[in-house]
Amino acid sequence: MFREESQCPKEFMRLTLDYCASSSQLASRCGVPFGCTIHPLNITALPVIDFGSIGVIRCRRCRSYVNPFVTFHDGGRKWKCNLCGLSNEVPPDYY
């Protein structure tokens, strides 16, 4: 058995089981269906990031936003889009 460790608050996503079976045989003997309830638009106060006058940095080609999967290079002056691969300039005010 292993304990369910979620990466988001339980107000947004909740599993039917807190402990999950580590084998298919144990899961079939349990008899409780494994499911998930998702509430992506749950009304709670989410932190808002203020990007100032620059706004959110976006790719010139595909218009995707800077996200955790982009890579910065050239000392942080450029970033490579993880969706289309274009190398974009980082505005100097971003630092």
Side-chain angles (χ1 to χ4, degrees):
M1 299 283 240
F2 65 91
R3 180 147 174 77
E4 177 264 326
E5 297 290 334
S6 62
Q7 295 185 7
C8 68
K10 292 187 179 187
E11 295 83 26
F12 293 103
M13 184 173 73
R14 182 73 187 208
L15 299 176
T16 55
L17 302 171
D18 281 338
Y19 290 90
C20 301
S22 58
S23 70
S24 59
Q25 291 134 349
L26 188 59
S28 65
R29 285 191 310 188
C30 175
V32 177
F34 185 73
C36 180
T37 304
I38 301 172
H39 298 279
L41 301 176
N42 195 353
I43 307 298
T44 56
L46 296 175
V48 177
I49 299 172
D50 181 17
F51 286 95
S53 61
I54 299 173
V56 180
I57 299 175
R58 298 184 75 176
C59 177
R60 292 186 322 247
R61 181 185 297 156
C62 70
R63 303 299 295 157
S64 67
Y65 295 101
V66 168
N67 61 69
F69 304 105
V70 303
T71 54
F72 287 91
H73 54 90
D74 195 19
R77 289 186 276 284
K78 293 184 180 181
W79 64 278
K80 184 176 180 181
C81 178
N82 64 310
L83 298 178
C84 71
L86 182 69
S87 182
N88 294 278
E89 298 285 329
V90 175
D93 297 338
Y94 190 69
Y95 292 102

